[in-house]
Amino acid sequence: AANLDLVGTDIVILSACETGLGEIRNGEGVYGLQRGFLTAGANALLMSLWKVDDDATYLMVTEFTKKYADGIEKHLALKEAQQIVRQKYPHPFYWGAFVLVGQ
């Protein structure tokens, strides 16, 4: 991912399981998809910290994308999408896996 040219890309959405995880190396930080996409020039990433449910993830990403496309700031779009998912799937396992990193 680090070799891609993503300069000007506002957000990359990584909705698969555990896309926010990586390998920690002393003095180097965390190596993983996050570092690769940010190095490539993406401004922000939406990713998951654990294995996610397909249906809940579909709802989360769909709602996030709609809200973001309507002009809502990324962090607020994520919060609102999580609230919608939480109505259908109350347990944090379904809506709490997703984090936003970057600007």
Side-chain angles (χ1 to χ4, degrees):
N3 293 327
L4 296 170
D5 180 8
L6 297 177
V7 174
T9 302
D10 196 38
I11 188 164
V12 173
I13 299 173
L14 303 171
S15 61
C17 297
E18 301 175 337
T19 52
L21 301 183
E23 179 183 334
I24 299 172
R25 295 188 183 171
N26 281 341
E28 298 294 328
V30 178
Y31 279 91
L33 289 173
Q34 172 182 339
R35 185 171 181 161
F37 279 103
L38 293 174
T39 298
N43 290 333
L45 287 96
L46 178 63
M47 54 198 168
S48 68
L49 296 177
W50 56 77
K51 294 183 184 207
V52 293
D53 176 79
D54 289 341
D55 294 330
T57 298
Y58 176 80
L59 180 59
M60 170 74 75
V61 172
T62 301
E63 292 299 326
F64 172 82
T65 305
K66 285 181 198 174
K67 293 179 180 311
Y68 183 62
D70 286 343
I72 297 175
E73 294 181 32
K74 291 183 279 272
H75 69 283
L76 294 175
L78 175 58
K79 182 178 179 179
E80 290 181 20
Q82 286 175 317
Q83 290 171 342
I84 291 169
V85 173
R86 191 174 180 183
Q87 290 173 6
K88 186 171 182 179
Y89 304 97
H91 195 281
F93 167 80
Y94 295 97
W95 52 267
F98 289 91
V99 294
L100 188 62
V101 175
Q103 302 176 13

